[in-house]
Amino acid sequence: MREDCCVEAIVPLQCTDAQVEAIVDAKSKWIERAQSYFRLHPATTNDPPNLLIFFGETFTVVSEPSLARGIDFDEEKRVVRTRSMWSNETRAEWQRTFARDFLRERTKALADAHGFSFNRLYVLNQKTVWGNCSKKRNISLNWQLIRAPRFVIDYVILHELLHTRFMSHGQPFWRSVSRLSERYKEAIDWL
């Protein structure tokens, strides 16, 4: 599924049209959910220049040349104040930096609160996953998680922290998920 809601099937050369149709039919519910997701959660590059999405909310970017600091993030009023209007590159760079800092702090806080330990944390721009935990207990998070509601961010972080204890998605893993994240089913639906 591409962000423009088009379905793209990459199959081996020996696959017949009938086999491809059968696969698409079998995945039709997933395709509908994915298309719905991309309609509700457009790509960052499609945001208007004066709007940003953080924590599932729309924030307005306002230029205030008299600002003492370079950037003021006001979560209560859902405003990001800057000394000057940003270029697209500057805006994207600031979003990634903000996401990296927030996700690092939040991961450490959740790990400390629940007794988890991990090796390293990477905040990346993955194309197909929200998070990952390696066998070496390195956690990778997608920086665009910052656009999700807080309970979704916490679910993804806790999911990956649990993989430091359980490397599979077996029953013990999901029992632990349900204990740590009361809204995990809602978070999965959002994702």
Coordinates of all heavy atoms in Angstrom, one line a residue, residues 108-166:
K108 N 12.8 6.2 27.4 CA 13.6 6.1 28.7 C 12.6 6.1 29.9 O 12.7 5.3 30.8 CB 14.6 7.2 28.8 CG 15.5 7.0 30.1 CD 16.6 8.0 30.2 CE 17.4 7.9 31.4 NZ 17.0 7.2 32.5
A109 N 11.6 7.0 29.9 CA 10.7 7.1 31.0 C 9.9 5.9 31.1 O 9.7 5.3 32.2 CB 9.8 8.3 30.8
L110 N 9.4 5.3 30.0 CA 8.6 4.1 30.1 C 9.4 2.9 30.5 O 9.0 2.0 31.2 CB 7.9 3.8 28.7 CG 6.7 4.8 28.4 CD1 6.2 4.6 27.0 CD2 5.5 4.6 29.4
A111 N 10.7 2.8 30.0 CA 11.6 1.7 30.3 C 11.8 1.8 31.8 O 11.7 0.8 32.5 CB 12.9 1.8 29.6
D112 N 12.1 3.0 32.4 CA 12.4 3.1 33.8 C 11.1 2.8 34.6 O 11.2 2.1 35.6 CB 12.8 4.5 34.1 CG 14.2 4.8 33.6 OD1 14.9 3.9 33.1 OD2 14.6 6.0 33.6
A113 N 10.0 3.2 34.2 CA 8.7 3.0 34.9 C 8.4 1.5 35.0 O 7.8 1.1 36.0 CB 7.6 3.8 34.3
H114 N 8.7 0.8 34.0 CA 8.3 -0.7 33.9 C 9.4 -1.7 34.1 O 9.3 -2.8 33.8 CB 7.5 -0.9 32.6 CG 6.3 -0.1 32.6 ND1 5.2 -0.4 33.3 CD2 5.9 1.0 31.8 CE1 4.2 0.5 33.0 NE2 4.7 1.4 32.1
G115 N 10.6 -1.2 34.4 CA 11.8 -2.1 34.6 C 12.4 -2.7 33.4 O 12.9 -3.8 33.4
F116 N 12.3 -2.0 32.3 CA 12.9 -2.5 31.0 C 14.3 -2.0 30.9 O 14.6 -0.9 31.3 CB 12.1 -2.1 29.8 CG 10.8 -2.8 29.7 CD1 9.6 -2.1 30.0 CD2 10.7 -4.1 29.2 CE1 8.4 -2.8 29.9 CE2 9.5 -4.8 29.1 CZ 8.3 -4.1 29.4
S117 N 15.1 -2.7 30.2 CA 16.4 -2.2 29.7 C 16.6 -2.5 28.3 O 16.2 -3.6 27.8 CB 17.6 -2.7 30.6 OG 17.7 -4.1 30.4
F118 N 17.2 -1.6 27.6 CA 17.5 -1.8 26.2 C 18.9 -1.3 25.9 O 19.5 -0.6 26.7 CB 16.5 -1.1 25.3 CG 16.3 0.3 25.5 CD1 17.0 1.2 24.7 CD2 15.5 0.9 26.5 CE1 16.9 2.6 24.8 CE2 15.4 2.2 26.6 CZ 16.1 3.1 25.8
N119 N 19.5 -1.7 24.8 CA 20.8 -1.3 24.4 C 20.9 0.1 23.9 O 21.3 1.1 24.5 CB 21.5 -2.3 23.5 CG 22.9 -2.1 23.2 OD1 23.6 -1.4 24.1 ND2 23.4 -2.5 22.1
R120 N 20.4 0.3 22.6 CA 20.4 1.6 22.0 C 19.1 1.9 21.4 O 18.3 1.0 21.1 CB 21.4 1.6 20.8 CG 22.9 1.3 21.3 CD 23.9 1.5 20.3 NE 24.0 3.0 20.0 CZ 24.7 3.5 19.0 NH1 25.4 2.7 18.2 NH2 24.7 4.8 18.8
L121 N 18.8 3.2 21.2 CA 17.6 3.6 20.6 C 17.9 4.4 19.3 O 18.7 5.3 19.4 CB 16.8 4.5 21.5 CG 15.5 5.1 20.9 CD1 14.4 4.0 20.7 CD2 14.9 6.2 21.9
Y122 N 17.2 4.1 18.2 CA 17.4 4.8 17.0 C 16.0 5.4 16.6 O 15.0 4.7 16.7 CB 17.9 3.8 15.9 CG 19.2 3.2 16.1 CD1 19.2 1.9 16.7 CD2 20.4 3.8 15.8 CE1 20.4 1.3 17.0 CE2 21.6 3.2 16.1 CZ 21.6 1.9 16.6 OH 22.8 1.3 16.9
V123 N 16.1 6.6 16.1 CA 14.8 7.2 15.6 C 15.1 7.4 14.1 O 16.0 8.2 13.8 CB 14.5 8.5 16.3 CG1 13.2 9.1 15.8 CG2 14.3 8.2 17.8
L124 N 14.4 6.7 13.3 CA 14.6 6.6 11.9 C 13.4 7.0 11.1 O 12.4 7.4 11.6 CB 15.1 5.2 11.5 CG 16.2 4.6 12.3 CD1 16.4 3.1 12.0 CD2 17.5 5.4 12.0
N125 N 13.5 6.9 9.8 CA 12.4 7.2 8.8 C 12.1 5.9 8.1 O 12.2 5.9 6.9 CB 12.8 8.3 7.9 CG 11.6 8.8 7.1 OD1 10.5 8.7 7.5 ND2 11.9 9.3 5.9
Q126 N 11.7 4.9 8.8 CA 11.3 3.6 8.2 C 10.1 3.8 7.3 O 9.2 4.6 7.6 CB 11.0 2.5 9.2 CG 12.2 2.3 10.1 CD 12.0 2.9 11.5 OE1 11.6 4.1 11.6 NE2 12.3 2.2 12.6
K127 N 10.0 3.1 6.2 CA 8.9 3.2 5.3 C 7.8 2.2 5.6 O 6.6 2.5 5.2 CB 9.4 2.9 3.9 CG 10.4 3.9 3.4 CD 9.9 5.2 3.2 CE 11.0 6.2 2.7 NZ 10.7 7.6 2.9
T128 N 8.0 1.1 6.3 CA 7.0 0.1 6.5 C 6.7 -0.3 7.9 O 5.8 -1.1 8.2 CB 7.4 -1.2 5.7 OG1 8.6 -1.7 6.2 CG2 7.5 -0.9 4.2
V129 N 7.5 0.2 8.9 CA 7.2 -0.1 10.3 C 7.2 1.1 11.2 O 7.8 2.1 10.9 CB 8.3 -1.2 10.8 CG1 8.2 -2.5 10.1 CG2 9.7 -0.6 10.8
W130 N 6.5 1.0 12.3 CA 6.5 2.0 13.3 C 7.6 1.8 14.3 O 8.1 2.8 14.9 CB 5.2 2.0 14.1 CG 4.1 2.5 13.2 CD1 3.0 1.7 12.7 CD2 3.8 3.8 12.7 NE1 2.2 2.5 11.9 CE2 2.7 3.8 11.9 CE3 4.5 5.0 12.8 CZ2 2.2 4.9 11.3 CZ3 4.0 6.2 12.2 CH2 2.8 6.1 11.5
G131 N 8.0 0.6 14.5 CA 9.1 0.3 15.5 C 9.7 -1.1 15.2 O 9.1 -1.9 14.5
N132 N 10.8 -1.4 15.9 CA 11.5 -2.6 15.8 C 12.4 -2.8 17.0 O 12.9 -1.8 17.5 CB 12.3 -2.6 14.5 CG 12.9 -4.0 14.2 OD1 13.1 -4.8 15.0 ND2 13.2 -4.2 12.9
C133 N 12.6 -4.1 17.4 CA 13.5 -4.4 18.4 C 14.4 -5.5 17.9 O 13.9 -6.6 17.5 CB 12.8 -4.8 19.7 SG 14.0 -5.2 21.0
S134 N 15.7 -5.3 17.9 CA 16.6 -6.3 17.4 C 17.0 -7.3 18.5 O 16.7 -7.1 19.7 CB 17.9 -5.7 16.9 OG 18.7 -5.3 18.0
K135 N 17.6 -8.4 18.1 CA 18.0 -9.4 19.1 C 19.0 -8.9 20.1 O 19.2 -9.4 21.2 CB 18.6 -10.6 18.4 CG 17.6 -11.5 17.6 CD 18.2 -12.6 16.9 CE 17.2 -13.4 16.1 NZ 17.7 -14.5 15.4
K136 N 19.7 -7.8 19.7 CA 20.7 -7.2 20.5 C 20.0 -6.2 21.5 O 20.7 -5.4 22.2 CB 21.8 -6.4 19.7 CG 22.7 -7.4 18.9 CD 23.7 -6.6 18.2 CE 24.6 -7.5 17.4 NZ 25.7 -6.8 16.7
R137 N 18.7 -6.1 21.4 CA 17.9 -5.2 22.3 C 18.1 -3.8 21.9 O 18.0 -2.9 22.7 CB 18.1 -5.5 23.7 CG 17.7 -6.8 24.2 CD 17.8 -7.2 25.6 NE 18.2 -6.1 26.5 CZ 18.6 -6.2 27.7 NH1 18.8 -7.4 28.2 NH2 18.9 -5.2 28.4
N138 N 18.3 -3.5 20.6 CA 18.3 -2.2 20.1 C 16.9 -1.9 19.6 O 16.3 -2.7 18.8 CB 19.3 -2.0 18.9 CG 20.8 -2.2 19.4 OD1 21.1 -1.8 20.5 ND2 21.6 -2.8 18.5
I139 N 16.4 -0.7 19.9 CA 15.1 -0.3 19.5 C 15.2 0.7 18.5 O 15.9 1.7 18.6 CB 14.3 0.1 20.7 CG1 14.0 -1.0 21.7 CG2 12.9 0.8 20.3 CD1 13.3 -0.7 23.0
S140 N 14.4 0.6 17.4 CA 14.2 1.6 16.4 C 12.8 2.0 16.4 O 11.9 1.2 16.4 CB 14.6 1.0 15.0 OG 15.9 0.5 15.0
L141 N 12.6 3.4 16.3 CA 11.3 3.9 16.2 C 11.2 4.8 15.0 O 12.2 5.5 14.7 CB 10.9 4.7 17.5 CG 10.9 4.0 18.8 CD1 10.7 4.9 20.0 CD2 9.8 2.9 18.8
N142 N 10.0 4.9 14.4 CA 9.8 5.8 13.2 C 9.5 7.2 13.8 O 8.7 7.4 14.6 CB 8.6 5.2 12.5 CG 8.4 5.9 11.1 OD1 8.5 7.2 11.1 ND2 8.1 5.2 10.1
W143 N 10.3 8.2 13.3 CA 10.1 9.5 13.8 C 8.7 10.1 13.6 O 8.2 10.9 14.3 CB 11.1 10.5 13.2 CG 10.9 10.9 11.8 CD1 11.3 10.4 10.6 CD2 10.1 12.1 11.4 NE1 10.9 11.1 9.5 CE2 10.1 12.1 10.0 CE3 9.3 13.0 12.1 CZ2 9.4 13.1 9.2 CZ3 8.7 14.0 11.4 CH2 8.7 14.0 10.0
Q144 N 8.0 9.5 12.6 CA 6.6 10.0 12.3 C 5.6 9.6 13.4 O 4.4 10.0 13.3 CB 6.2 9.7 10.9 CG 7.0 10.5 9.9 CD 6.3 10.6 8.6 OE1 5.2 10.9 8.5 NE2 7.1 10.5 7.5
L145 N 6.0 8.7 14.3 CA 5.1 8.4 15.4 C 4.7 9.6 16.2 O 3.7 9.6 16.8 CB 5.9 7.5 16.4 CG 5.7 6.0 16.3 CD1 6.6 5.3 17.3 CD2 4.3 5.6 16.5
I146 N 5.5 10.7 16.1 CA 5.2 11.9 16.8 C 3.8 12.5 16.4 O 3.2 13.2 17.1 CB 6.3 13.0 16.6 CG1 6.3 14.1 17.6 CG2 6.2 13.6 15.2 CD1 6.7 13.6 19.0
R147 N 3.3 12.1 15.2 CA 2.1 12.5 14.7 C 0.9 11.8 15.3 O -0.3 12.2 15.2 CB 2.0 12.4 13.2 CG 3.1 13.2 12.5 CD 3.3 12.8 11.0 NE 2.1 12.9 10.2 CZ 1.7 14.0 9.5 NH1 2.4 15.1 9.6 NH2 0.6 14.0 8.8
A148 N 1.2 10.7 16.0 CA 0.1 9.8 16.5 C -0.3 10.4 17.9 O 0.5 11.0 18.6 CB 0.6 8.4 16.7
P149 N -1.5 10.0 18.4 CA -1.9 10.4 19.7 C -0.9 9.7 20.7 O -0.3 8.7 20.5 CB -3.3 9.7 19.8 CG -3.8 9.6 18.5 CD -2.6 9.3 17.6
R150 N -0.8 10.3 21.9 CA 0.1 9.9 22.9 C -0.1 8.4 23.3 O 0.9 7.7 23.5 CB 0.0 10.7 24.2 CG 0.7 12.1 23.9 CD 0.7 12.9 25.2 NE 1.2 14.2 25.1 CZ 2.5 14.5 25.2 NH1 3.4 13.6 25.6 NH2 3.0 15.7 25.0
F151 N -1.3 7.9 23.4 CA -1.5 6.5 23.8 C -1.0 5.6 22.7 O -0.6 4.5 23.0 CB -3.0 6.2 24.1 CG -3.9 6.1 23.0 CD1 -4.2 4.9 22.4 CD2 -4.5 7.2 22.4 CE1 -5.1 4.7 21.3 CE2 -5.4 7.1 21.3 CZ -5.7 5.9 20.8
V152 N -1.0 6.0 21.5 CA -0.5 5.2 20.4 C 1.0 5.2 20.4 O 1.6 4.1 20.3 CB -1.0 5.7 19.0 CG1 -0.3 4.9 17.9 CG2 -2.5 5.6 18.9
I153 N 1.6 6.3 20.7 CA 3.1 6.4 20.8 C 3.5 5.5 22.0 O 4.5 4.7 21.8 CB 3.5 7.8 21.1 CG1 3.2 8.7 19.9 CG2 5.0 7.9 21.5 CD1 3.4 10.2 20.1
D154 N 2.8 5.6 23.1 CA 3.2 4.7 24.3 C 3.0 3.2 23.9 O 3.9 2.4 24.3 CB 2.3 5.1 25.5 CG 2.8 6.4 26.1 OD1 3.8 7.0 25.7 OD2 2.1 6.8 27.1
Y155 N 2.0 2.9 23.2 CA 1.8 1.5 22.9 C 2.9 1.0 22.0 O 3.5 -0.1 22.3 CB 0.5 1.3 22.1 CG 0.5 0.0 21.3 CD1 0.4 -1.2 22.0 CD2 0.7 0.0 19.9 CE1 0.5 -2.4 21.2 CE2 0.8 -1.2 19.2 CZ 0.7 -2.4 19.9 OH 0.8 -3.6 19.2
V156 N 3.4 1.7 21.0 CA 4.4 1.3 20.1 C 5.7 1.1 20.9 O 6.5 0.1 20.8 CB 4.6 2.2 18.9 CG1 5.9 1.9 18.1 CG2 3.4 2.2 18.0
I157 N 6.0 2.1 21.8 CA 7.2 2.0 22.6 C 7.2 0.8 23.5 O 8.1 0.1 23.6 CB 7.4 3.3 23.4 CG1 7.7 4.5 22.5 CG2 8.6 3.2 24.4 CD1 7.7 5.9 23.1
L158 N 6.1 0.6 24.2 CA 5.9 -0.5 25.1 C 6.0 -1.8 24.4 O 6.6 -2.8 24.8 CB 4.6 -0.4 25.9 CG 4.6 0.7 27.0 CD1 3.2 0.9 27.5 CD2 5.6 0.3 28.2
H159 N 5.4 -1.9 23.2 CA 5.5 -3.1 22.3 C 6.9 -3.4 22.1 O 7.3 -4.6 22.2 CB 4.7 -2.8 21.0 CG 4.7 -3.9 20.1 ND1 3.5 -4.6 19.8 CD2 5.6 -4.6 19.4 CE1 3.7 -5.5 18.9 NE2 5.0 -5.6 18.7
E160 N 7.7 -2.4 21.7 CA 9.1 -2.7 21.4 C 9.9 -3.0 22.6 O 10.8 -3.9 22.6 CB 9.8 -1.6 20.6 CG 9.1 -1.3 19.3 CD 8.8 -2.5 18.4 OE1 9.6 -3.5 18.5 OE2 7.9 -2.5 17.6
L161 N 9.6 -2.3 23.7 CA 10.3 -2.7 25.0 C 10.0 -4.1 25.4 O 10.9 -4.8 25.9 CB 9.9 -1.7 26.1 CG 10.5 -0.3 26.0 CD1 9.8 0.7 27.0 CD2 12.0 -0.3 26.2
L162 N 8.8 -4.6 25.2 CA 8.4 -5.9 25.6 C 9.2 -6.9 24.7 O 9.5 -8.0 25.2 CB 6.9 -6.2 25.4 CG 6.1 -5.7 26.6 CD1 4.6 -5.6 26.3 CD2 6.3 -6.7 27.8
H163 N 9.6 -6.5 23.5 CA 10.4 -7.4 22.7 C 11.8 -7.6 23.3 O 12.6 -8.5 22.8 CB 10.5 -6.9 21.3 CG 9.3 -7.3 20.5 ND1 8.8 -8.6 20.4 CD2 8.5 -6.6 19.6 CE1 7.7 -8.6 19.7 NE2 7.5 -7.4 19.2
T164 N 12.2 -6.8 24.2 CA 13.5 -7.0 24.9 C 13.4 -8.3 25.8 O 14.4 -8.8 26.2 CB 14.0 -5.8 25.7 OG1 13.1 -5.6 26.8 CG2 14.1 -4.6 24.8
R165 N 12.2 -8.7 26.1 CA 11.9 -9.9 27.0 C 11.3 -11.0 26.1 O 11.6 -12.2 26.4 CB 10.9 -9.5 28.1 CG 11.5 -8.5 29.1 CD 10.5 -8.3 30.2 NE 11.0 -7.2 31.1 CZ 10.3 -6.5 31.9 NH1 9.0 -6.8 32.0 NH2 10.8 -5.6 32.6
F166 N 10.5 -10.7 25.2 CA 9.8 -11.7 24.4 C 10.1 -11.4 22.9 O 9.6 -10.3 22.4 CB 8.3 -11.7 24.5 CG 7.8 -11.8 26.0 CD1 7.5 -10.6 26.7 CD2 7.7 -13.0 26.6 CE1 7.0 -10.7 28.0 CE2 7.2 -13.1 27.9 CZ 6.9 -11.9 28.6

